[in-house]
Amino acid sequence: MPSRIPEKIEKEIEEKGGLEKLIAAIPGKERIESYAKIFSALGDPTRLRILCFLAKQRSCVCLIREIVNLSYSKLSYHLSVMKNANLISGEKMGNYIIYEVTSLGRKYASEICGGD
Amino acid sequence: MPSRIPEKIEKEIEEKGGLEKLIAAIPGKERIESYAKIFSALGDPTRLRILCFLAKQRSCVCLIREIVNLSYSKLSYHLSVMKNANLISGEKMGNYIIYEVTSLGRKYASEICGGD
DNA sequence: GCAGTATTTCAAATTATCTTTGAATATTGC
DNA sequence: GCAATATTCAAAGATAATTTGAAATACTGC
């Protein structure tokens, strides 16, 4: 199927059982897109700071807001991105919503946030 | 510094040594931005497919192009994003440029791409 | 050095993401 | 039920990422 590629590379491919086999090993659309969504959500400095803070301490929106110094609506947007990627979850506690990291969020936090 | 937060949360913070301590544990700008860059680069389905393929087999641009079915210039753009994030590297081989995953790229590939 | 192939680069157009402002919803305490 | 607080939502605008198509670069073989 491919046109012309360097011999050296072609040889390597043959040794691995051929191109078809390599192509077949690429994950399907669903898996790829689910990871892409997670990494997109992680790909923003503000959201990483929020993740690192929440990994140490669950918190209401009002406190996160003070720490990352954002407007409520901006923060709310970023929290929704993280929530949709299943990095954090929120639950009501009286008048407040308390956000905390999910186990997925914790996994990435432990890689990114160091310390602890 | 914060206004009013739920008692329960306030208590948890005190038990951890206070808010200042938690804030101090958030990584600095440089570390945060460097991770954000990597995750942004990973946050795209096309680039994840390329990463998974290259993790199994280094390859010239022309072959990658056949596999992900993109125009040269589009592919070149995505390769440059991945290269800037230090997920892949390219070296000349005759008339070709052979791309391969870096050790950082391999680390994420092993998480994302499964199989092998 | 010329023709051909592989790859990148550039600028313009398109699309997606983020920000802003203001209003909406939900809960609490009176 | 009303006022106050916490939080989200929606629409418009701003910014950033991606796509497109054409032209530029770099290497190979003659």
Side-chain angles (χ1 to χ4, degrees):
Chain A
M1 201 133 288
S3 46
R4 180 169 293 290
I5 66 172
E7 283 182 53
K8 218 170 173 177
I9 302 299
E10 193 144 32
K11 205 161 293 179
E12 289 176 4
I13 291 171
E14 285 318 311
E15 280 162 12
K16 287 174 185 155
L19 191 55
E20 309 309 315
K21 205 167 162 183
L22 293 172
I23 292 173
I26 299 171
K29 187 179 158 71
E30 221 169 293
R31 182 185 177 96
I32 288 284
E33 283 177 358
S34 125
Y35 273 102
K37 188 171 186 176
I38 295 165
F39 290 126
S40 290
L42 290 169
D44 175 275
T46 292
R47 293 195 288 262
L48 290 186
R49 279 189 202 100
I50 295 169
L51 184 75
C52 289
F53 177 63
L54 290 180
K56 304 248 187 250
Q57 174 60 53
R58 67 185 181 145
S59 167
C60 59
V61 179
C62 53
L63 180 55
I64 304 171
R65 196 190 80 79
E66 306 252 9
I67 284 158
V68 296
N69 197 36
L70 295 179
S71 69
Y72 268 109
S73 70
K74 203 195 260 196
L75 175 54
S76 193
Y77 167 74
H78 286 295
L79 291 174
S80 79
V81 172
M82 297 173 79
K83 199 170 144 192
N84 286 332
N86 192 33
L87 293 168
I88 62 174
S89 66
E91 79 172 305
K92 285 220 159 157
M93 181 169 163
N95 202 6
Y96 300 89
I97 298 174
I98 306 297
Y99 280 97
E100 64 185 334
V101 291
T102 60
S103 65
L104 182 69
R106 188 168 301 284
K107 171 180 151 194
Y108 289 107
S110 75
E111 171 182 348
I112 300 159
C113 312
D116 186 277
Chain B
M1 204 138 282
S3 46
R4 181 169 293 290
I5 65 173
E7 282 183 53
K8 217 167 169 179
I9 302 299
E10 192 144 33
K11 206 162 291 180
E12 289 175 7
I13 292 171
E14 284 318 311
E15 279 162 12
K16 287 173 183 154
L19 191 57
E20 308 309 317
K21 206 166 162 184
L22 293 172
I23 292 172
I26 299 171
K29 187 178 157 75
E30 222 169 291
R31 181 181 178 100
I32 287 285
E33 283 177 357
S34 128
Y35 273 101
K37 187 172 186 174
I38 294 165
F39 289 125
S40 290
L42 290 169
D44 175 274
T46 293
R47 293 195 289 263
L48 289 185
R49 280 190 200 100
I50 295 170
L51 183 74
C52 289
F53 177 65
L54 290 180
K56 305 247 186 250
Q57 175 60 53
R58 65 183 183 149
S59 167
C60 60
V61 179
C62 53
L63 179 55
I64 304 172
R65 195 189 79 80
E66 306 251 9
I67 285 159
V68 296
N69 197 38
L70 294 179
S71 70
Y72 268 110
S73 69
K74 202 195 260 196
L75 175 54
S76 194
Y77 166 74
H78 286 294
L79 291 173
S80 80
V81 171
M82 297 173 79
K83 199 170 145 193
N84 286 332
N86 192 34
L87 292 168
I88 62 175
S89 67
E91 80 173 305
K92 285 219 160 158
M93 180 170 163
N95 202 8
Y96 299 88
I97 298 175
I98 306 297
Y99 280 95
E100 64 184 333
V101 291
T102 60
S103 64
L104 182 68
R106 187 167 301 284
K107 171 181 150 194
Y108 289 107
S110 74
E111 171 182 348
I112 299 160
C113 311
D116 183 277

